[in-house]
Amino acid sequence: MKKIIKEFRDFISRGNVLDMAVGLIIGSAFTAIVSAVVGDLLTPLIGFILPSGNFGNLNGVGPGFNFGNIINAIITFLLTALCLFIIIKGINSLKSIGKKKVEEEAKEPTTKECPYCISEISIKAIRCPNCTTKLEGFEDFKPEEIEK
């Protein structure tokens, strides 16, 4: 049972599933705005041209503008978008809780710069392979002293 719940949680938390859900919700909220604009703004404009407000029946009194419905649809859309934003932010923060942040440890340098020719050489180098100069601190070094 735990495996099924974990698989379902992983399925739901995938980006494309959440994106699709957000798209559907935002789309339905936007549909309300379009319906309000058409029904309460454009239809009354047609009503001034055609007395009945539609082409089917050309007699009667044209409908009035209803800006309250349009404003209501816009506010509903903005509140829906805000709620979705908060929900998605919460889901994203819950995803990051389970993951440990991997911090890279400071690595010790493996190279150094030759003070004579300014080329990059191994930190263990005794002599610069480019200019063949013995490096400082190794002037009295004897190869037999190398630990094997």
Side-chain angles (χ1 to χ4, degrees):
M1 185 64 172
K2 287 183 180 181
K3 184 180 178 185
I4 293 173
I5 292 172
K6 182 185 180 308
E7 287 179 10
F8 181 71
R9 187 191 70 211
D10 292 343
F11 171 75
I12 291 298
S13 65
R14 281 189 204 148
N16 53 0
V17 173
L18 290 175
D19 292 343
M20 184 177 66
V22 168
L24 288 171
I25 294 168
I26 292 291
S28 66
F30 192 73
T31 300
I33 293 176
V34 172
S35 297
V37 168
V38 169
D40 298 323
L41 183 66
L42 297 179
T43 302
L45 286 174
I46 292 172
F48 284 130
I49 297 170
L50 302 171
S52 66
N54 63 37
F55 294 104
N57 186 3
L58 292 176
N59 55 6
V61 179
F65 292 104
N66 200 354
F67 291 111
N69 288 341
I70 297 171
I71 293 169
N72 188 31
I74 291 171
I75 290 172
T76 301
F77 173 78
L78 292 175
L79 289 175
T80 303
L82 177 65
C83 288
L84 282 174
F85 175 75
I86 291 169
I87 290 170
I88 296 299
K89 289 288 277 185
I91 289 171
N92 288 339
S93 66
L94 286 176
K95 282 184 190 179
S96 66
I97 287 175
K99 297 178 182 177
K100 293 182 180 178
K101 293 183 180 179
V102 178
E103 297 180 15
E104 290 186 26
E105 295 179 11
K107 295 181 180 180
E108 292 185 28
T110 58
T111 60
K112 62 183 175 183
E113 193 174 84
C114 175
Y116 302 101
C117 68
I118 316 298
S119 62
E120 191 171 313
I121 58 174
S122 171
I123 194 114
K124 297 178 182 178
I126 297 167
R127 188 180 290 265
C128 177
N130 300 309
C131 68
T132 68
T133 306
K134 273 197 169 183
L135 300 172
E136 293 176 14
F138 296 102
E139 292 86 6
D140 299 331
F141 179 77
K142 296 179 181 135
E144 309 77 63
E145 297 176 4
I146 297 177
E147 292 181 22
K148 292 186 181 186

